[in-house]
Structures are given as C-alpha cells and as structure tokens.
Amino acid sequence: MNKNTILVTVDQSVQQHTAKRLKKQAVQDQAQIPAKLKAVDTHAKSVQTAPLNRRRFLEMTALGGLGLFSYHAKAALTLPQGALTTQSLDIEDISTHNRLSCITPTISTRIFASSNTGVDEARNVLGLQRLTCAGFDIKNPEVLRRRYLRFGGTDQQRISDLQNMATGAIEVPKLLLAARGGYGAMRLLEQVNWQSLGDQMREKGTILAGFSDVTAVQCALLAQGKMSSLAAPMLYSEFGKKQPDVVSCQGFIDAITQPKLKISLPQQDISMLKAPMTGTLWGGNLSVVSALAGSPYIPNPEGGIVFLEDVGEQPYQVERMLYSLYLSGAFKRQQAIVLGVFSGTGQDSYDARYDMSLVVKQLKQITHLPVFTGLPFGHVARKQSFPLGAQCQLSASDTGIELEFSGYPTIAGELIYPEGLWR
C-alpha cells in the first residue's frame, strides 16, 4: 500500500466517522425540538398575558428587540439546521426588515377608546408596531387591554382618555388616534369639557382621527370645542390588519401632511354647482349623526357642507335617518350634502326597486340642496381620509366635482415613514 492509498483510506475513514457523528447529533437535536417548541410557546403566552404598558410594548417592538413575532423567530433560530420552517424564516425576515427600515418615532401619539378596543391581542400589537415604525410615539398602549362589558373600558376610563387632556392633567399629543369604533361614545359626551379640550388641541395643533362611532366625539368636539378632526382609519380596524390597504394608509398620511388636501368626485351633475362654494364640512356616520339630532353635540355651522356615510342599513332605514336630521332642522343652514359609501344596504325587504338612488332623489327634493355622491370614505376596505370641521371648497372640474380642504392641523411629512403602516 503506497502513501497516496493510505491518505485516501484515512480521509474516507474520517468522513465516515464525521457523518456518523453528525447523524447521531441530528437525531438527538430532533428529539429535543418538541421540548424547545413547548418552551417557546410558554414564553410567548406569558408575554401575551403580561400587562401591556409602554415598557412592555417597546420590548415587543423593533425598538426593544426583534419585533412583534420575535419570540418564535428567535427560538426557531436555536433549532438544528433543517428544522427551520418557511414560516419562521418569513417572520425573521419581517423582524429584520422592521429593524432596518423603521424610523425613530418622534410624533407624540395617544390612543383613545371612546367605544371599543380590539379583542385580538396580536392585531392590537401589530397596529401599535406599525404606527411606531412609521414614526408615531405611542404614549399609552395599555389602553388596548381594557375591557368592560362590550366597551373599551368603563365609562370613567373612557371619559378620562379625553377629559384628562381637557383639564391639563395629561399633555395633549400631536395625534389622538381612536382604537376602533363600535358603540359607546355617546355615553361620554356629557362628561367631557369639549370647549377646554378644543382649546388645548388648538394650541398644540392636535389631530384627532377616527370614524364610525367616533363620529359622536368628532361632532361634540366641533359643536362645542370649535375644533376640527380627521375622518380616518383607526388602529384596530386598519393598521392592525394582517395586510392593511395601502391606499387607505397612504390616504391617511396625505391627510395629516398636506395642508391643501384635494379629493375628486367624478361623474357628478355639475349643474347643481352654479359657482364654487366654501363652507365647514362636518358629519360622519349617519346613524350616529342622526342620533345626535336636537342635542347640543351636533354641529350646525352657517353655510356648512354635510358629509354622511353608513353601513348595513337598508335604503328605507337610511332615508328615515335623513328625515330625522331634516325634521330637526340640521340641513336648514347648509349649502350642500356630500354622501360617502353606503355599503351593505342590500335590497328593500318590501320592494327591491326602492334603492339608494331613490333615497338620494328624495333627499334633494326635501332639502332643495345639491347632493353629491361617491366620496371614497365609509365602512369599506379602501378609503380617503379628510378633515371634518375644516374649510372645504366645492368646485367643478373637468370630470365632476373637486373638494379642497384648508384650515386644519398637519404633521411634517419628513417625520413619517409611510410604508411602516402597511409592511
């Protein structure tokens, strides 16, 4: 046996021994996987049930570690090579992306829960994480853990979200973002000093954002506090989605950064608009606005423009609520009515021919006001945010009607990383 033959034999022996050792180690590691995964799940559950406060939230975001799903991702990386799943790799990619792309949050932001909060903890945290990634410094994430009956906390807790800022007990932030809609905001109206809150917000240039049941807060703020707000997506209903709508998120950014926001309503009857008209645009969800009829919490600005939208109401129900506003005198001093999306109206249970087009026709007849339709906002996946309580100019365009807004607070665009809201 020559020297070369000996070297080959030794090399083969080493390779065989190494292969046996690696195979034995792999079997041992594989046997340990269930225990490791159990440990990971136990840790994740303990994190989910721990009190959600500002410190805990920062730990659960890219600012304090690997990010929202980092607990499973980090543990997965300790498993033997080959045991990593495609899902765990995707999670780690997301966490890495967030660490690399997010900007330092500098926009003072508070969450308020005037109605409900989301019941899905992961979705709440994901919404918080995206907002933080985009540049919004969330001061009170623990609000999202509150529950009382069907509400996002007791009445007193939900009142305190707003009243403590009205009294100066809590500093007013740059952005006040609603957790979600639902029901419950009307229970708070008598217990908040809206005039004081409006004064505090005006001094700070605060933007209060939300829609649906939050309409009650927005109407009261305008009626008594003379302060504008923003018809916009909310934390749970948009930013916490598995895949947020990019158009809605970008529309939110446009509305809070552009001092002269413009929205086009194509295919309108421009004969109804003999000349440009300017007035305060107010309103929101029709069910809520009509429920405020006759109360001191409904705005009625001279020469205003009314915006209304709703979801899940049959055409006759929509008309009944419009009549409630009409009979209360809510339309008397207004220049025009702009309707958003009325989703899920379905067919009239008595006569399928009775649809929204007939409701709009009747509204024109009783109010003698121009009525424009198709403003892209409501209980739909894709929406354009815009100010309520701000000046709005309606003018004819080549394709229909254009709305241009002015006189509302904004945020410097360079402080925001827009893509953080949908990645």
Side-chain angles (χ1 to χ4, degrees), residues 165-345:
M165 287 178 285
T167 63
I170 294 176
E171 183 179 359
V172 177
K174 184 62 181 176
L175 176 66
L176 268 170
L177 180 65
R180 68 176 301 181
Y183 167 70
M186 294 187 71
R187 295 172 62 142
L188 318 181
L189 299 186
E190 292 183 312
Q191 304 301 319
V192 176
N193 187 331
W194 299 105
Q195 181 177 347
S196 178
L197 181 59
D199 291 341
Q200 297 275 2
M201 290 175 60
R202 204 162 16 254
E203 182 178 348
K204 187 75 173 183
T206 298
I207 302 169
L208 184 147
F211 78 110
S212 190
D213 193 58
V214 181
T215 294
V217 170
Q218 294 170 313
C219 283
L221 183 63
L222 179 59
Q224 297 193 0
K226 310 303 179 186
M227 184 62 192
S228 67
S229 59
L230 192 71
M234 297 173 286
L235 185 146
Y236 189 84
S237 55
E238 187 61 53
F239 305 127
K241 287 180 179 177
K242 183 177 181 180
Q243 185 56 60
D245 179 67
V246 176
V247 173
S248 297
C249 293
Q250 186 60 57
F252 173 77
I253 298 297
D254 291 343
I256 65 176
T257 59
Q258 296 180 10
K260 294 287 185 180
L261 183 71
K262 293 183 180 181
I263 300 176
S264 296
L265 305 182
Q267 301 177 348
Q268 303 292 313
D269 180 6
I270 61 174
S271 66
M272 293 188 294
L273 189 64
K274 297 180 174 58
M277 61 175 65
T278 301
T280 300
L281 187 137
W282 64 279
N285 180 256
L286 174 60
S287 295
V288 178
V289 175
S290 64
L292 294 174
S295 79
Y297 305 105
I298 186 168
N300 194 9
E302 184 71 40
I305 299 168
V306 186
F307 163 72
L308 299 166
E309 60 82 22
D310 217 317
V311 59
E313 304 286 353
Q314 289 189 36
Y316 82 90
Q317 294 170 317
V318 172
E319 184 178 295
R320 181 165 57 195
M321 289 185 286
L322 290 170
Y323 257 98
S324 178
L325 289 172
Y326 165 70
L327 294 173
S328 71
F331 297 132
K332 282 185 177 179
R333 303 196 301 167
Q334 308 307 301
Q335 295 187 76
I337 300 171
V338 179
L339 301 180
V341 180
F342 284 77
S343 54
T345 55

Side-chain angles (χ1 to χ4, degrees), residues 50-106:
L52 181 61
N53 52 33
R54 182 167 170 77
R55 179 178 179 182
R56 172 62 60 183
F57 166 59
L58 292 176
E59 290 175 353
M60 298 175 74
T61 65
L63 296 179
L66 283 172
L68 174 62
F69 298 111
S70 61
Y71 306 105
H72 289 281
K74 186 176 182 180
L77 292 175
T78 67
L79 299 178
Q81 187 173 4
L84 288 174
T85 64
T86 303
Q87 182 180 14
S88 65
L89 288 173
D90 289 343
I91 290 172
E92 180 60 19
D93 288 343
I94 292 171
S95 298
T96 301
H97 169 78
N98 285 343
R99 292 200 305 276
L100 294 176
S101 301
C102 297
I103 64 174
T104 301
T106 59

Side-chain angles (χ1 to χ4, degrees), residues 314-320 322-323 345-363:
Q314 289 189 36
Y316 82 90
Q317 294 170 317
V318 172
E319 184 178 295
R320 181 165 57 195
L322 290 170
Y323 257 98
T345 55
Q347 290 185 343
D348 185 273
S349 56
Y350 275 68
D351 192 328
R353 295 171 297 176
Y354 191 77
D355 58 15
M356 280 299 298
S357 66
L358 293 178
V359 173
V360 172
K361 181 179 179 180
Q362 183 70 6
L363 182 61

